[in-house]
Amino acid sequence: MTRTGTTPANLRRALRREVPSTVGLLADEHDFTAMRRYRTFAFDDHTTYLRQVEALLRTLATQGGHTTVTLFDPEEYAAYCAETALDPDHPTSRSRFTAHLAATGARVTYTGQPLSTLLPELVDTAVRHATWEYATTVLATAGDCATCGKDIGRAAFERASRLLARLLDAAGPGTHHLVCSVPAADDQLLAVLHADGTTTPTAVEDGAAAEFTAVLAAGILLGAPGGLVLRTTTPGARDRLHGWRLTGGTLTPLTEAEVFAAYCTDARTGEPLSPEPGVDHRAGFPVTPDPDDDWTTHH
């Protein structure tokens, strides 16, 4: 039963606004070129492809529905088709893979932003998603401690959570920007966290804090030679930079000279860089774990 005067066409348009859309995007030239192997892939030029994708996104937005954008990875697509016995050279297969990504992968909501804004946001979201998946997999598959029987991954996460809370508590007032870097396999896990000195985010309540804690915990569990840096901004004062190295399951403060060297050296070439104006390089401050934390004894 429908309301009086409502036509089938209007009903379909109203229903269309309640159906979400997902667009799988080939972000770079390399991925675009990989998809050109398929005869049914209609595009020859990446620039034209991006222009048409942006036009499609604008059209979907005018229809009033919810649209998300996800990264379309050709290698993952080929593996997905092999696992599901789909023909990769068929539009329906690409559509099914995109729907799969909408449920499992990293995605960004389209709100009318230009591709020049959307693409970096999407890539950053995908990197964060991959980092989270890797770190949580490391923690989930660590098993139990042979000595005490505790879940090693859970113990590492709890230790990292306590270290983060103590670090932010000791950092005091101001706006804090933290970066944790941990080498893992052939890659580098990187997590970023923004925090206000008046509140301490918890891994349970804050998604970014959970991601950051998971990376720190993975470094603790793997015994990786990672590092953590903290930049604090306070109105009317110079920014302060502090640094720590991750060793023995805890954060060991860097000296002022080590912090200066870390920030004023090109990581790629090793060449010195000019110090950033308005910034003080300071030694890391002690961040002690709980007295009853027995990580180093059992794990």
Side-chain angles (χ1 to χ4, degrees):
M1 184 176 181
T2 61
R3 296 180 181 178
T4 303
T6 303
T7 67
N10 287 339
L11 286 174
R12 284 193 296 273
R13 280 193 291 270
L15 187 61
R16 177 67 186 86
R17 289 193 293 270
E18 300 186 22
V19 178
S21 300
T22 301
V23 176
L25 178 61
L26 297 161
D28 59 40
E29 190 78 41
H30 179 268
D31 287 346
F32 177 83
T33 301
M35 290 302 294
R36 291 191 61 200
R37 79 181 84 166
Y38 301 120
R39 179 184 55 82
T40 57
F41 185 72
F43 294 91
D44 297 318
D45 175 75
H46 191 226
T47 301
T48 301
Y49 164 81
L50 291 177
R51 188 164 56 247
Q52 292 301 318
V53 167
E54 190 162 26
L56 171 63
L57 291 172
R58 287 196 297 266
T59 298
L60 291 171
T62 61
Q63 296 173 356
H66 178 76
T67 302
T68 56
V69 184
T70 184
L71 280 182
F72 194 106
D73 186 304
E75 292 186 7
E76 289 185 14
Y77 172 62
Y80 174 82
C81 288
E83 292 172 2
T84 55
L86 292 174
D87 177 8
D89 198 357
H90 198 285
T92 301
S93 301
R94 293 193 286 274
S95 178
R96 285 184 58 176
F97 178 64
T98 300
H100 168 74
L101 292 176
T104 62
R107 54 202 176 277
V108 169
T109 300
Y110 178 71
T111 58
Q113 65 269 50
L115 279 188
S116 58
T117 300
L118 179 64
L119 279 173
E121 182 184 2
L122 182 58
V123 171
D124 179 67
T125 301
V127 170
R128 286 179 53 198
H129 182 79
T131 298
W132 166 256
E133 284 195 332
Y134 184 93
T136 53
T137 298
V138 167
L139 299 177
T141 58
D144 297 333
C145 175
T147 303
C148 66
K150 291 182 180 179
D151 183 314
I152 298 176
R154 182 184 296 275
F157 190 88
E158 290 174 351
R159 182 179 179 85
S161 183
R162 289 191 291 267
L163 284 173
L164 175 60
R166 287 184 172 230
L167 187 149
L168 289 174
D169 183 61
T175 301
H176 307 301
H177 176 81
L178 301 93
V179 179
C180 181
S181 177
V182 173
D186 297 325
D187 209 345
Q188 191 83 8
L189 299 182
L190 194 68
V192 177
L193 178 65
H194 301 277
D196 188 328
T198 60
T199 59
T200 300
T202 67
V204 175
E205 299 172 354
D206 189 292
E211 294 172 9
F212 190 92
T213 305
V215 169
L216 179 57
I220 291 172
L221 191 151
L222 295 171
L228 189 151
V229 293
L230 165 70
R231 179 170 185 155
T232 299
T233 301
T234 306
R238 293 165 61 91
D239 282 9
R240 305 187 307 276
L241 293 176
H242 302 269
W244 296 260
R245 65 170 55 88
L246 181 59
T247 55
T250 194
L251 295 172
T252 302
L254 297 177
T255 66
E256 183 175 312
E258 289 173 325
V259 173
F260 182 89
Y263 270 91
C264 299
T265 302
D266 188 304
R268 185 176 59 85
T269 65
E271 294 295 317
L273 300 173
S274 299
E276 186 179 349
V279 176
D280 290 333
H281 300 83
R282 298 185 180 180
F285 43 82
V287 183
T288 55
D290 292 339
D292 59 349
D293 191 331
D294 58 355
W295 172 267
T296 55
T297 302
H298 291 291
H299 309 296

